[in-house]
Amino acid sequence: MNKTLLFLTVLVIATCGLIYELIVGTLASYLLGDSITQFSTVIGGYLFAMGIGSYLSRFVERGVAQRFVEVELAVALVGGLCAPMLFLTFTLTSVFPVVLYGSVLAIGTLVGLEIPLLLRILQDQLKFKDLVSQVLTFDYLGALAASVAFPLLLVPKLGLVRTSLLFGLLNAGVGLWSTWLLAPVLANPVRLRVKAVVLCAGLLVCFALGDRLTTFYEDQLYADEVVHATSSPYQRIIVTRGKRGFSLFLNGNLQFASIDEYRYHESLVHPAMVRAQKVEHVLILGGGDGLAAREVLKYPEVKSITLVDLDPAITGLATGYKELAVLNHHSLTHPKMRVINTDAMQFLAEGTNTWDVVIVDFPDPNNFALGKLYTTGFYKILKKRLAPGGVAVIQSTSPLFARRSFWCVETTLKAAGFWTQPYHALVPSFGEWGYVLVAQEPAGRHRALPEGLAFLDEDTLEGLTHFSPDMAPLPAEVNRLNNQVLVHYYEEEWRRWN
């Protein structure tokens, strides 16, 4: 037996094993939300299942090499098809959690069998200390390769479905070449080769059809026709077109519908712009679609706009996707505009500039990565970046559907030392939507609304601050970086409506 190729086998199967774990965790987070919970339960279940597999390996007393190849082919089948199977289950059935954790247990158990069987195959080739050290070294190197390649290369370039199928092919390839590496100790290598070749062919066909499979699943998930779909290192970006015009979804969450986005963006931008003492320098955090910037540009006094959005794929879409560029009035290519693709919290923490108006247009806090942008820590940094007489506004989810979450944002802003003015507006695609206006001191009116707005006028603007009893303030804890209660509020409240 060729020891070098067997150690290469360890490297490949370790990479594949971690890739399957990352795929299932990412897919669960994408479809179910709350990434911390999903990754924690998937990783915990996967490691537990690996322990089961390792324990079961003791019952393999004969034909160890034969069982190893069969396990490789089984991992290739179950792991390779996990992403397409889970997408299909989510779109067509109501048993997704059962299939999700069933897949975790099945893949984990099979992966847990691999290394113990391989150690037994190699036990006559090396001393025990060398055997263990070398096998585990290649195992951990494979894990490193997977963890680096998955977010930086595989998901952005291939997507979850094709990544799953590709690594299923790699596992099947391991099974196939093992029929030659282990031929002297295999009872029937030809039969195993036929199985491996058939499996490779099937997975290869599925891989070739990967984009069509993904399109099919997404067509089932969205009510309207999917006209644009891409993946970035940060999220899945979908544009649909239907009766409401076109709509943008990030990781399955609606960001806007072109038919009524003006209600959301006029309500987001103009209450802050009319209350700031000056509006010469404006900062937009998030808002990579350019629609908030469009509203800011309606004020001729504005001299510069800095837009900070983490994902260059979104700001690229805002300029490169014709319908969106027309909708945002080509705002991101305006001479007053500066676009920076970086983390907003890092940008504020490392900078020294101050702004007259800051518009915070982040996605809802449906996971802890986003929840950090709604904490006292973030808001205290934001407060330092407001110029004297400056005003900021924070989109703050729905005060109707997520009432405690909304008032948690307002409570957290107060705890950070801001004067606050909560308000809301009806956006049909979203329902009642909430915002919180903040400043270092109470902010009065300094200018009139610009002409030509479709939703806001003076009477409407005044009415935005009135809350009906079903949206009235509720007690809520402060959202802190080390205890993000907002994410828990949000998950609990929105679950009732989904």
Side-chain angles (χ1 to χ4, degrees):
M1 289 182 285
N2 189 314
K3 288 183 289 185
T4 302
L5 288 178
L6 282 172
F7 286 127
L8 178 61
T9 296
V10 175
L11 181 70
V12 174
I13 63 178
T15 305
C16 292
L18 186 57
I19 289 291
Y20 299 139
E21 183 179 1
L22 292 171
I23 286 171
V24 175
T26 302
L27 202 150
S29 176
Y30 172 45
L31 296 175
L32 299 178
D34 191 358
S35 59
I36 298 296
T37 298
Q38 304 309 327
F39 269 103
S40 295
T41 54
V42 166
I43 291 171
Y46 189 84
L47 292 174
F48 170 72
M50 287 180 65
I52 293 175
S54 297
Y55 177 78
L56 292 177
S57 68
R58 67 184 298 214
F59 298 106
V60 179
E61 297 181 355
R62 298 179 182 178
V64 174
Q66 183 88 6
R67 299 290 87 78
F68 173 76
V69 176
E70 291 171 349
V71 166
E72 286 307 300
L73 298 182
V75 173
L77 179 63
V78 179
L81 294 178
C82 67
M85 179 180 63
L86 288 170
F87 269 120
L88 186 65
T89 303
F90 184 82
T91 55
L92 300 180
T93 75
S94 59
V95 295
F96 177 75
V98 175
V99 178
L100 173 71
Y101 291 104
S103 300
V104 169
L105 290 173
I107 297 170
T109 300
L110 290 168
V111 170
L113 280 164
E114 291 175 318
I115 296 301
L117 294 179
L118 196 56
L119 284 170
R120 289 166 63 181
I121 292 169
L122 286 165
Q123 65 184 348
D124 295 330
Q125 308 295 314
L126 295 168
K127 293 181 180 179
F128 179 76
K129 64 175 184 177
D130 296 329
L131 172 62
V132 173
S133 65
Q134 291 186 44
V135 168
L136 292 182
T137 296
F138 280 93
D139 186 46
Y140 296 144
L141 283 174
L144 174 64
S147 63
V148 172
F150 185 76
L152 299 181
L153 179 64
L154 297 171
V155 173
K157 299 298 183 183
L158 296 178
L160 291 175
V161 170
R162 296 182 76 187
T163 297
S164 173
L165 292 165
L166 173 64
F167 280 84
L169 270 169
L170 285 177
N171 260 135
V174 168
L176 182 58
W177 86 45
S178 294
T179 61
W180 277 279
L181 288 175
L182 305 175
V185 289
L186 289 175
N188 195 338
V190 175
R191 186 176 179 182
L192 288 174
R193 283 171 199 160
V194 171
K195 289 181 179 180
V197 168
V198 171
L199 181 56
C200 285
L203 290 170
L204 189 60
V205 170
C206 291
F207 181 82
L209 298 175
D211 288 340
R212 294 185 184 181
L213 291 172
T214 302
T215 300
F216 170 77
Y217 304 138
E218 290 176 338
D219 284 343
Q220 307 306 309
L221 286 173
Y222 299 99
D224 296 328
E225 177 189 6
V226 176
V227 295
H228 177 84
T230 188
S231 294
S232 77
Y234 307 104
Q235 56 207 337
R236 181 68 174 168
I237 303 164
I238 299 290
V239 179
T240 66
R241 184 183 291 112
K243 293 180 180 179
R244 298 187 301 174
F246 70 95
S247 302
L248 174 66
F249 294 84
L250 301 181
N251 285 347
N253 299 307
L254 177 65
Q255 303 305 298
F256 70 80
S258 62
I259 193 172
D260 60 8
E261 57 76 22
Y262 66 90
R263 279 180 162 254
Y264 173 89
H265 290 100
E266 287 184 12
S267 300
L268 173 70
V269 171
H270 298 295
M273 296 293 286
V274 300
R275 285 177 178 256
Q277 288 184 11
K278 297 189 300 181
V279 294
E280 293 181 356
H281 304 289
V282 178
L283 173 66
I284 301 174
L285 301 176
D289 52 36
L291 297 170
R294 176 196 65 196
E295 299 300 317
V296 172
L297 287 167
K298 293 178 180 178
Y299 294 83
E301 311 100 294
V302 171
K303 293 181 179 179
S304 71
I305 305 171
T306 302
L307 186 146
V308 178
D309 193 291
L310 179 64
D311 195 348
I314 296 296
T315 51
L317 186 74
T319 56
Y321 189 74
K322 183 177 180 180
E323 285 184 280
L324 180 52
V326 170
L327 187 65
N328 67 35
H329 296 180
H330 302 278
S331 61
L332 296 196
T333 55
H334 194 280
K336 296 179 179 180
M337 177 65 66
R338 179 189 180 205
V339 177
I340 301 173
N341 295 118
T342 190
D343 179 81
M345 194 168 191
Q346 181 180 346
F347 174 81
L348 287 180
E350 295 178 353
T352 57
N353 292 355
T354 60
W355 286 272
D356 302 315
V357 179
V358 179
I359 296 163
V360 182
D361 190 20
F362 295 137
D364 275 5
N366 57 16
N367 60 58
F368 291 99
L370 291 169
K372 75 173 185 178
L373 303 174
Y374 290 79
T375 60
T376 51
F378 178 80
Y379 293 144
K380 286 177 180 178
I381 298 171
L382 173 63
K383 193 168 184 283
K384 295 176 181 178
R385 299 291 172 257
L386 271 183
V391 174
V393 62
I394 291 88
Q395 92 77 14
S396 307
T397 197
S398 171
L400 179 62
F401 302 128
R403 185 175 167 190
R404 196 176 300 275
S405 299
F406 175 81
W407 293 108
C408 176
V409 174
E410 199 254 357
T411 298
T412 304
L413 287 161
K414 282 184 174 179
F418 281 113
W419 166 85
T420 65
Q421 176 62 73
Y423 65 98
H424 65 99
L426 176 63
V427 183
S429 292
F430 294 143
E432 288 287 349
W433 212 255
Y435 314 82
V436 182
L437 196 72
V438 300
Q440 297 186 21
E441 302 290 340
R445 287 288 297 272
H446 290 277
R447 63 189 51 79
L449 290 167
E451 295 182 358
L453 299 184
F455 173 56
L456 285 184
D457 57 21
E458 293 298 334
D459 290 338
T460 306
L461 181 62
E462 183 179 349
L464 296 184
T465 58
H466 299 298
F467 287 82
S468 59
D470 59 349
M471 296 188 291
L474 284 177
E477 294 183 52
V478 174
N479 190 46
R480 304 184 188 279
L481 195 58
N482 68 334
N483 183 23
Q484 293 189 35
V485 295
L486 176 58
V487 177
H488 298 295
Y489 288 154
Y490 185 91
E491 178 74 15
E492 179 183 350
E493 291 181 309
W494 277 103
R495 189 185 297 121
R496 295 179 299 170
W497 303 96
N498 294 331

CSV table of all heavy atoms in Angstrom, one decimal, residues 69 75 98 149 336 375 454 458 487:
chain,number,residue,atom,x,y,z
A,69,VAL,N,-14.0,1.5,2.1
A,69,VAL,CA,-14.4,2.0,0.8
A,69,VAL,C,-15.9,2.2,0.7
A,69,VAL,O,-16.4,3.2,0.2
A,69,VAL,CB,-14.0,1.0,-0.3
A,69,VAL,CG1,-14.5,1.4,-1.7
A,69,VAL,CG2,-12.4,0.9,-0.3
A,75,VAL,N,-20.6,8.2,2.3
A,75,VAL,CA,-20.4,9.6,2.6
A,75,VAL,C,-20.6,10.5,1.4
A,75,VAL,O,-21.2,11.5,1.4
A,75,VAL,CB,-19.0,9.9,3.2
A,75,VAL,CG1,-18.8,11.4,3.4
A,75,VAL,CG2,-18.9,9.2,4.6
A,98,VAL,N,-36.5,17.7,10.6
A,98,VAL,CA,-36.3,16.3,10.8
A,98,VAL,C,-35.2,15.8,9.8
A,98,VAL,O,-34.2,15.1,10.1
A,98,VAL,CB,-37.5,15.5,10.6
A,98,VAL,CG1,-37.2,14.0,10.6
A,98,VAL,CG2,-38.6,15.8,11.6
A,149,ALA,N,-11.3,27.7,2.5
A,149,ALA,CA,-11.8,27.7,1.1
A,149,ALA,C,-13.3,28.0,1.1
A,149,ALA,O,-13.9,28.6,0.1
A,149,ALA,CB,-11.5,26.4,0.4
A,336,LYS,N,-20.9,63.6,-5.8
A,336,LYS,CA,-20.9,63.8,-4.4
A,336,LYS,C,-20.7,62.6,-3.6
A,336,LYS,O,-20.5,62.6,-2.4
A,336,LYS,CB,-22.1,64.6,-3.9
A,336,LYS,CG,-22.3,66.0,-4.5
A,336,LYS,CD,-23.6,66.6,-4.0
A,336,LYS,CE,-23.8,68.0,-4.5
A,336,LYS,NZ,-25.1,68.6,-4.0
A,375,THR,N,-26.1,47.5,19.3
A,375,THR,CA,-25.7,47.5,20.7
A,375,THR,C,-25.3,48.9,21.2
A,375,THR,O,-25.0,49.8,20.4
A,375,THR,CB,-24.6,46.5,20.9
A,375,THR,OG1,-23.5,46.9,20.2
A,375,THR,CG2,-25.0,45.1,20.5
A,454,ALA,N,-43.2,61.7,-2.9
A,454,ALA,CA,-44.4,60.9,-3.2
A,454,ALA,C,-45.2,60.6,-1.9
A,454,ALA,O,-46.4,60.4,-2.0
A,454,ALA,CB,-44.0,59.7,-3.9
A,458,GLU,N,-46.0,67.8,5.1
A,458,GLU,CA,-45.9,68.3,6.5
A,458,GLU,C,-46.8,67.6,7.4
A,458,GLU,O,-46.4,67.2,8.5
A,458,GLU,CB,-46.1,69.8,6.5
A,458,GLU,CG,-45.0,70.6,5.8
A,458,GLU,CD,-43.6,70.4,6.4
A,458,GLU,OE1,-43.5,70.1,7.6
A,458,GLU,OE2,-42.6,70.6,5.7
A,487,VAL,N,-31.6,40.1,19.7
A,487,VAL,CA,-31.7,39.0,18.7
A,487,VAL,C,-32.7,38.0,19.2
A,487,VAL,O,-33.5,37.5,18.4
A,487,VAL,CB,-30.3,38.4,18.5
A,487,VAL,CG1,-30.4,37.2,17.6
A,487,VAL,CG2,-29.3,39.4,17.9
